[in-house]
Amino acid sequence: LTKPFPCPGKCVFCPNDVRMPKSYLSDEPGCQRAELNGFDPYLQTYSRLLVFHAIGHPTDKAELIVLGGTFSFYPEPYRIWFVKRCFDALNDFGSGRDGRPAAEAQRLSIESLQDRLDGRALGAGYNRVVTKFLERDGRRDFEIATLDELRRVQRENETSRTRNVGLALETRPDYVDEAEVRLLRELGCTKVQLGFQSVDDDILAQNKRGHDVAATRRAVRLLRQAGFKLLAHVMP
């Protein structure tokens, strides 16, 4: 999971658990693991590989699934850094290196949000609360990376003993354009989890989703043309 971060959506039924990225709840197993690791991508990936290894599961191939709301809304340097650090963990684990102590020293602390677990009373205040929290935590200037740095660890991973065989990222249809498709490809993404919600414009409007079915069609067309696998998120 990516860290808690403001969301462009105003969906009526979306959870407001301010301790989590928008739309996720703190009692979900994956979310609990993310919180324990301070939402650090290296720590989350490395610790998960340790669990698989401990129960006898092969770790020579690993699919990465990055969750956390609208991935495309996060700052681009953060997105590149997040994926790079996941690859760092894969490479280190395969080589027997352990970079967890250094990552632990910089992990995100969310203790100041402990008393705001349930955001139902916040209404539209999720973005305001999370933004103030991020400002208090500082700019975290180390959470940036370049595409060149990412490409270096991607090349290293081609011969790592723990190789990535797929990368899934999730976003909204109205945040998919040609530039975003190119970035998703450079990040190494192979599958996009796309928030359809509904294929009915009236329902989308009532939910205050912020886009129509035509935007979903455009996003699907662009992603299909670029060769991505698609996972549609539809909410009955």
Side-chain angles (χ1 to χ4, degrees):
L1 259 73
T2 49
K3 66 183 179 181
F5 196 77
C7 176
K10 299 180 180 178
C11 305
V12 170
F13 53 71
C14 190
N16 278 331
D17 189 335
V18 297
R19 200 169 60 171
M20 292 290 131
K22 196 70 162 67
S23 83
Y24 286 87
L25 296 168
S26 57
D27 57 358
E28 300 175 46
C31 295
Q32 292 176 336
R33 289 193 296 267
E35 183 180 351
L36 286 171
N37 288 288
F39 300 95
D40 182 86
Y42 185 98
L43 294 174
Q44 292 184 73
T45 305
Y46 202 99
S47 64
R48 199 69 178 128
L49 289 167
L50 281 174
V51 170
F52 284 136
H53 178 72
I55 62 176
H57 197 290
T59 57
D60 57 330
K61 297 179 181 179
E63 180 184 13
L64 286 169
I65 302 176
V66 178
L67 304 176
T70 305
F71 187 74
S72 302
F73 191 66
Y74 284 77
E76 183 174 314
Y78 174 82
R79 287 185 277 163
I80 298 171
W81 172 82
F82 195 96
V83 174
K84 175 190 177 294
R85 291 297 287 158
C86 289
F87 272 85
D88 282 336
L90 292 173
N91 294 338
D92 284 358
F93 188 85
S95 301
R97 300 185 297 260
D98 190 347
R100 286 178 296 167
E104 279 282 359
Q106 294 181 312
R107 65 191 293 273
L108 181 67
S109 174
I110 62 163
E111 277 69 23
S112 60
L113 286 175
Q114 291 287 353
D115 59 341
R116 307 298 292 275
L117 299 186
D118 189 343
R120 281 177 292 185
L122 292 174
Y126 173 93
N127 284 352
R128 182 176 64 253
V129 172
V130 172
T131 298
K132 287 182 179 179
F133 159 70
L134 292 173
E135 289 174 350
R136 285 196 301 270
D137 188 67
R139 294 177 58 192
R140 300 179 67 82
D141 290 336
F142 65 89
E143 293 180 339
I144 59 175
T146 65
L147 285 172
D148 285 339
E149 291 172 322
L150 175 59
R151 293 186 190 107
R152 177 180 56 78
V153 297
Q154 287 172 334
R155 286 193 297 269
E156 179 183 347
N157 188 252
E158 292 175 5
T159 56
S160 172
R161 295 181 64 181
T162 302
R163 287 178 293 117
N164 176 245
V165 295
L167 172 61
L169 302 171
E170 66 175 352
T171 190
R172 293 164 52 103
D174 52 335
Y175 273 75
V176 175
D177 55 21
E178 292 183 359
E180 181 63 14
V181 169
R182 283 194 294 271
L183 179 59
L184 290 172
R185 176 63 72 208
E186 292 191 278
L187 290 174
C189 179
T190 57
K191 179 169 62 179
V192 176
Q193 301 190 57
L194 196 60
F196 280 33
Q197 283 203 357
S198 174
V199 290
D200 184 299
D201 280 333
D202 289 339
I203 294 176
L204 290 173
Q206 290 181 54
N207 183 40
K208 300 181 181 179
R209 175 60 172 167
H211 67 75
D212 56 12
V213 177
T216 302
R217 291 197 185 98
R218 286 193 296 271
V220 168
R221 184 173 63 253
L222 285 170
L223 293 167
R224 282 297 194 199
Q225 288 174 343
F228 288 98
K229 298 177 182 179
L230 279 178
L231 175 60
H233 287 182
V234 179
M235 299 182 179

